[in-house]
Amino acid sequence: MNITLISTSTIPSQKANSIQVMMACQGLAELGHNLKLLVPGGEISPFDSLRSSYGLHCEPFEIEAIPCNPRLKRLDFAIRTVRRAKQNRADLVYTWTIQAAVFASLAGFPVVYEMHDLPSGRFGKRWFGAFVQRKKPKRVVFITKALMERVLQQFPALSASDCVIAPNGFSVQDYQDLPDVASAKRAMGFDAGLLASCSGHLYRGRGVELFLALAEAMPEISFCWFGGDPSEVERRTAEVAARGLENVRFTGFIEKSRLPLAQAASDILLMPYGREIAGSSGGNSAAICSPMKLFEYLAAGRPIISSDLPVFHEVLDESSAIFCEPDKLEDWIAALCRLQNDPQAAAEFSAAARERSAGFSWVERQRKIMKGMAEETYAKNKND
């Protein structure tokens, strides 16, 4: 299929929404679709540069920057990109932008619209309500069951048959043939001792305070945080020095192509989320989130200790992770001690995590999302 994808994410960027867009594109490209991604801006980096930044494995696809006026709140961008989809003779529009979803449906396109949060504000709810009312073929993609249930409660007119639950994923190529822990440590230049790590940004609610408290309580274990904006990494590094924590390191950004090796060099992978989780633009996603690190952790095949948030149970179970209350430091200490002192238990959690990762690749995610859309598109073209 000829697919025009429309996103307001910045390309390139280290933010999660940008990575999610590029991974969705990779999955669609690997399925053989012909893609054109439209994003705001004035110039796009060469694809080889993007390949390195995002760890892409697919064949190159076209990316075009569309100028827009931020004061118009995406309206001009949505209109221009849908017009471009018409010019491209697209079979389908795939978007993360609700205004583009509405305009594309009005223009007669079948639409796939991805939702990673609840519609917000007076206008956000109106836009989504207008999209729900459209009779053209559409698919609404939810990253968690919890998110879908909340949206269906707010918008009962949305048909469940138009919905699909598709969590985030991982790139199979990145996690194939990873070395054992000792070899990965040597390749990363890490010490041979026990290492517990966390990947991702340092936003509020990601568990940095708990991470540091664990390091303070267990000086015999090394703690490493992969990722974070430079300013936050600098601030946290200064805090570590002030607290005299010699077993903690904040690495800052690690290229996506190298992150699997860093995770494989970890004896234990941590997800110390709080009961409120902020993203790059704030908000609280604790009840509906689908962290990319969750699927990467599973694919890395290392023991996982996770905050016991209900939404994580959509993917994890008691065999593939140890769950701890987010605000109970003693639970986390006990979980670390268990894995430290019981190699057999650690090995069992590792094996269960790797087995649990099956089916969560980006390409399988996109296959699930697109299932049946070609037939709906054919019907639409025939009726036109």
Side-chain angles (χ1 to χ4, degrees):
M1 295 177 67
N2 273 341
I3 301 177
T4 293
L5 299 103
I6 300 171
S7 170
T8 55
S9 296
T10 300
I11 304 294
S13 169
Q14 298 172 17
K15 291 184 177 179
N17 57 35
S18 178
I19 296 170
Q20 287 160 340
V21 166
M22 295 299 281
M23 292 300 100
C25 288
Q26 173 171 276
L28 291 169
E30 289 180 332
L31 290 173
H33 296 291
N34 181 41
L35 311 182
K36 183 161 189 175
L37 173 62
L38 306 178
V39 295
E43 187 175 348
I44 298 296
S45 303
F47 197 87
D48 283 346
S49 174
L50 297 177
R51 186 185 296 281
S52 175
S53 298
Y54 291 97
L56 298 171
H57 301 281
C58 60
E59 292 298 315
F61 53 87
E62 189 175 356
I63 306 175
E64 182 181 354
I66 305 294
C68 62
N69 186 342
R71 290 179 296 178
L72 296 179
K73 299 187 182 299
R74 302 178 180 175
L75 286 177
D76 62 333
F77 176 74
I79 292 169
R80 290 177 183 177
T81 51
V82 171
R83 285 177 179 167
R84 189 58 54 91
K86 280 280 191 185
Q87 295 167 1
N88 296 341
R89 302 183 66 83
D91 297 313
L92 177 142
V93 168
Y94 190 121
T95 185
W96 295 258
T97 305
I98 187 56
Q99 295 93 334
V102 172
F103 288 134
S105 184
L106 288 169
F109 288 105
V111 178
V112 174
Y113 172 55
E114 272 209 37
M115 296 189 72
H116 291 224
D117 204 347
L118 291 163
S120 60
R122 183 178 58 183
F123 292 110
K125 292 177 181 177
R126 286 183 177 179
W127 278 107
F128 186 70
F131 182 61
V132 167
Q133 296 300 322
R134 296 293 303 161
K135 301 303 181 185
K136 291 292 183 180
K138 60 178 173 289
R139 181 149 299 166
V140 183
V141 180
F142 299 96
I143 54 170
T144 60
K145 180 182 178 183
L147 176 58
M148 183 184 75
E149 289 175 344
R150 290 189 176 203
V151 171
L152 287 172
Q153 286 176 355
Q154 289 187 25
F155 298 90
L158 177 61
S159 172
S161 63
D162 290 331
C163 302
V164 62
I165 301 168
N168 286 314
F170 70 97
S171 294
V172 171
Q173 300 93 327
D174 290 340
Y175 290 87
Q176 286 178 330
D177 304 319
L178 286 175
D180 59 42
V181 175
S183 300
K185 279 188 170 73
R186 287 193 294 271
M188 289 295 298
F190 294 160
D191 293 336
L194 197 72
L195 172 64
S197 77
C198 189
S199 306
H201 283 283
L202 298 165
Y203 303 134
R204 177 177 55 83
R206 302 303 173 97
V208 184
E209 290 73 18
L210 175 59
F211 179 82
L212 294 176
L214 280 170
E216 195 165 32
M218 307 188 76
E220 73 279 12
I221 298 177
S222 294
F223 290 80
C224 204
W225 194 297
F226 308 125
D229 294 330
S231 60
E232 272 297 303
V233 169
E234 183 179 357
R235 184 172 77 85
R236 292 297 183 176
T237 299
E239 180 183 351
V240 164
R243 292 170 64 168
L245 299 176
E246 298 181 356
N247 59 333
V248 179
R249 179 185 174 194
F250 290 91
T251 69
F253 175 70
I254 292 182
E255 281 201 339
K256 198 170 182 298
S257 58
R258 193 162 172 77
L259 183 59
L261 183 63
Q263 292 166 340
S266 307
D267 298 276
I268 301 165
L269 299 168
L270 304 174
M271 294 210 316
Y273 286 97
R275 297 190 188 280
E276 293 188 6
I277 303 172
S280 58
S281 56
N284 176 21
S285 63
I288 57 173
C289 65
S290 176
M292 282 184 286
K293 78 177 71 169
L294 166 53
F295 306 97
E296 294 167 352
Y297 283 9
L298 289 172
R302 300 292 184 262
I304 299 168
I305 306 177
S306 171
S307 290
D308 193 4
L309 300 182
V311 71
F312 293 160
H313 288 269
E314 292 187 19
V315 176
L316 299 173
D317 59 20
E318 300 290 345
S319 70
S320 55
I322 299 176
F323 292 101
C324 299
E325 291 298 321
D327 50 0
K328 291 187 178 180
L329 176 62
E330 61 273 20
D331 287 0
W332 290 81
I333 293 174
L336 280 167
C337 288
R338 178 183 175 187
L339 295 173
Q340 182 182 26
N341 299 323
D342 190 345
Q344 180 60 33
E348 289 173 0
F349 277 111
S350 295
R354 189 175 288 108
E355 182 178 352
R356 188 70 178 142
S357 71
F360 287 114
S361 69
W362 288 110
V363 68
E364 289 305 318
R365 176 186 194 266
Q366 299 312 124
R367 193 191 309 278
K368 180 180 182 181
I369 290 170
M370 295 299 296
K371 185 177 180 181
M373 288 304 293
E375 290 81 357
E376 292 184 26
T377 300
Y378 172 77
K380 171 258 180 188
N381 290 335
K382 185 177 179 181
N383 292 334
D384 287 350

